[in-house]
């Protein structure tokens, strides 16, 4: 093809594109015209570009420059038509409904897991009541999980069927397993009470939130791993009345000012007296968790003098609190990591 023919074809295309764009009555028509002329695959400009290969070699450069100029002209004609259809006020011709003056929507980025959110909130509430966060290991020994908590050798809580005892590497097996201080995944966060008291002196006001493990079969309310929040206060003259006040403030902060709470007598080896705490929610009493006045034997096991100091402790299930608050009907939702569930938090 001669350079003259090529140039002529391009000029005709530019004219035809300009008049088609100018005639477009709305955004949809204009877009169709854009595809017709500028479409990357089947556009007319693209089709003409193919002819460039048959232009004689010495005119190739001129042909290329002409092609670019026409491409720019067609693009400019399109943009002009776009501005006209959009009214030139910033609205987008491709989507006349689009209003650039409206506020944007937040981009969805990752969120904290509902249990982590709950932990943070509970930690915050207890922090305002003066309780500092404390941590302990998840792999514990008998001493901290049972012995120092006044749980006797014969107590059913130590049953191998109710605990994840660890079998450790061969070389350590003798010292760890056959010793009288075997290792296990902690079954309660009460272990942290002992760890804190071993390493510090009263006054103590700590809260510990973390995972605990029990070989329960999973159902709507059980899971072999779950979370507890443990509180401990030790000072001169700490009583059950202080415990009830703290539980009441805790419940009001998490569930709302008006939520009533009650305590009932119960039994735990590490507290005397022991209580079970409930709060009233949606027409019925719901169990909150266990609590009580720290047993003198526990204070003695960490070297405190029970005649000098006293304390209270409590341990509550975090999943249960989270489920009540968010009306979650099955604990397993919290651990299957289905994004349709997780996105709701
Ligand atoms: N550790 C108990 C449990 O897992 C809960 C508990 C009861 C914790 C009484 C306490 C307490 O600190 O005083 O069932």
């Amino acid at each position: 093809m001669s350079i003259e023919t090529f140039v002529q074809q391009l000029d005709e295309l530019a004219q035809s594109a300009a008049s088609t764009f100018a005639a477009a009555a709305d955004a949809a028509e204009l877009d169709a015209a854009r595809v017709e002329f500028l479409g990357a695959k089947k556009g007319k400009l693209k089709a003409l570009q193919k002819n460039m290969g048959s232009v004689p070699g010495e005119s190739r450069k001129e042909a290329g420059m002409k092609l670019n100029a026409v491409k720019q002209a067609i693009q400019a004609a399109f943009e002009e038509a776009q501005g006209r259809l959009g009214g030139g006020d910033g609205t987008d011709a491709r989507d006349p409904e689009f209003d650039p003056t409206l506020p944007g929507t937040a981009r969805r980025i990752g969120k904290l897991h509902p249990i982590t959110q709950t932990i943070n909130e509970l930690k915050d509430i207890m922090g305002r009541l003066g309780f500092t966060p404390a941590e302990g290991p998840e792999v514990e020994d008998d001493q901290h999980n049972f012995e120092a908590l006044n749980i006797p050798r014969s107590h059913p809580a130590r049953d191998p069927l109710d605990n994840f005892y660890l079998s450790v590497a061969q070389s350590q097996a003798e010292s760890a397993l056959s010793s009288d201080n075997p290792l296990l995944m902690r079954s309660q966060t009460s272990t942290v009470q002992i760890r804190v008291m071993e390493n510090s002196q009263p006054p103590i006001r700590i809260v510990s939130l973390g995972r605990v493990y029990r070989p329960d079969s999973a159902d709507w309310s059980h899971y072999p791993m779950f979370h507890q929040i443990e509180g401990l206060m030790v000072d001169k003259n700490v009583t059950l009345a202080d415990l009830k006040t703290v539980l009441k403030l805790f419940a009001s902060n998490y569930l709302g000012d008006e939520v009533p709470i009650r305590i009932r007598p119960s039994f735990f080896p590490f507290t005397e007296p022991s209580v079970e705490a409930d709060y009233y929610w949606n027409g019925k009493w719901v169990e909150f968790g266990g609590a009580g006045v720290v047993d003198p034997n526990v204070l003695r096991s960490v070297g405190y003098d029970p005649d000098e100091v006293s304390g209270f402790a409590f341990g509550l299930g975090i999943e249960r609190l989270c489920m009540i608050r968010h009306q979650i009907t099955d604990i397993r939702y919290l651990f299957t990591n289905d994004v349709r569930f997780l996105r709701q938090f």
Side-chain angles (χ1 to χ4, degrees):
M1 178 183 290
S2 71
I3 177 73
E4 289 78 15
T5 316
F6 185 65
V7 167
Q8 194 193 342
Q9 284 183 347
L10 281 171
D11 282 338
E12 281 168 15
L13 187 73
Q15 264 183 18
S16 148
S19 55
T20 311
F21 291 155
D26 57 28
E29 273 186 36
L30 179 62
D31 197 56
R34 180 187 59 78
V35 173
E36 178 185 347
F37 290 98
L38 293 168
K41 282 206 186 103
K42 301 207 176 112
K44 288 182 169 165
L45 185 67
K46 195 83 194 167
L48 270 192
Q49 191 175 341
K50 297 207 178 91
N51 295 340
M52 206 167 92
S54 61
V55 171
E58 70 270 17
S59 309
R60 223 30 96 59
K61 191 174 167 202
E62 190 190 338
M65 282 162 59
K66 181 68 186 174
L67 182 78
N68 275 338
V70 166
K71 191 174 188 173
Q72 277 169 21
I74 295 180
Q75 185 68 35
F78 167 71
E79 277 162 20
E80 193 190 312
Q82 199 176 34
R84 168 177 59 83
L85 287 176
D89 62 358
T91 53
D92 189 330
R94 284 165 299 183
D95 181 3
E97 304 290 299
F98 178 76
D99 181 349
T101 63
L102 288 176
T105 45
R107 193 140 56 98
R108 275 208 174 272
I109 49 175
K111 298 231 200 112
L112 294 177
H113 188 278
I115 287 294
T116 311
Q117 291 183 26
T118 308
I119 285 176
N120 290 345
E121 188 175 347
L122 300 181
K123 213 188 269 184
D124 238 50
I125 292 172
M126 292 307 293
R128 291 201 293 274
L129 298 177
F131 288 73
T132 333
E135 301 226 2
E138 288 177 23
V139 174
E140 261 298 4
D141 56 14
D142 180 279
Q143 171 67 22
H144 293 87
N145 202 85
F146 299 122
E147 194 70 30
L149 287 163
N150 199 35
I151 301 175
R153 289 275 129 156
S154 56
H155 196 280
R158 291 176 178 246
D159 193 320
L161 292 176
D162 291 329
N163 292 283
F164 287 110
Y165 284 99
L166 296 178
S167 64
V168 291
Q170 206 64 36
S171 59
Q172 296 166 21
E174 244 136 275
S175 56
L177 275 185
S178 59
S179 78
D180 43 359
N181 194 21
L183 297 176
L184 74 161
M185 302 305 292
R186 68 178 179 195
S187 64
Q188 49 184 355
T189 44
S190 305
T191 53
V192 186
Q193 296 182 26
I194 303 301
R195 297 227 165 244
V196 168
M197 289 192 285
E198 278 174 344
N199 294 314
S200 47
Q201 290 300 314
I204 285 175
R205 235 193 274 189
I206 59 101
V207 65
S208 187
L209 304 94
R211 298 187 189 98
V212 299
Y213 302 82
R214 294 178 194 176
D216 292 325
S217 326
D219 64 23
W220 73 272
S221 67
H222 291 88
Y223 208 75
M225 182 279 297
F226 59 100
H227 299 74
Q228 287 186 329
I229 168 173
E230 188 87 16
L232 172 71
M233 174 167 176
V234 184
D235 204 342
K236 292 195 159 72
N237 304 318
V238 175
T239 67
L240 198 64
D242 299 312
L243 168 65
K244 200 173 172 192
T245 303
V246 168
L247 286 177
K248 170 66 186 155
L249 290 171
F250 178 78
S252 310
N253 271 282
Y254 188 63
L255 297 165
D257 278 347
E258 303 311 326
V259 66
I261 72 157
R262 71 175 183 192
I263 56 177
R264 295 175 283 121
S266 183
F267 176 79
F268 297 99
F270 32 91
T271 42
E272 181 56 39
S274 300
V275 300
E276 207 100 47
D278 305 325
Y279 53 90
Y280 197 71
W281 188 257
N282 277 348
K284 54 178 192 283
W285 288 100
V286 180
E287 198 186 309
F288 211 170
V293 172
V294 180
D295 193 290
N297 282 344
V298 173
L299 296 176
R300 266 185 225 110
S301 79
V302 295
Y304 290 1
D305 180 353
D307 293 327
E308 285 292 312
V309 291
S310 57
F312 70 71
F314 63 86
L316 320 174
I318 293 179
E319 278 76 6
R320 186 177 291 197
L321 288 167
C322 172
M323 286 167 72
I324 285 275
R325 189 54 182 255
H326 298 292
Q327 298 178 2
I328 298 167
T329 51
D330 192 317
I331 192 173
R332 290 168 291 194
Y333 285 130
L334 290 166
F335 302 118
T336 37
N337 289 334
D338 184 330
V339 288
R340 291 170 301 179
F341 171 80
L342 295 175
R343 274 208 189 107
Q344 299 175 50
F345 297 89

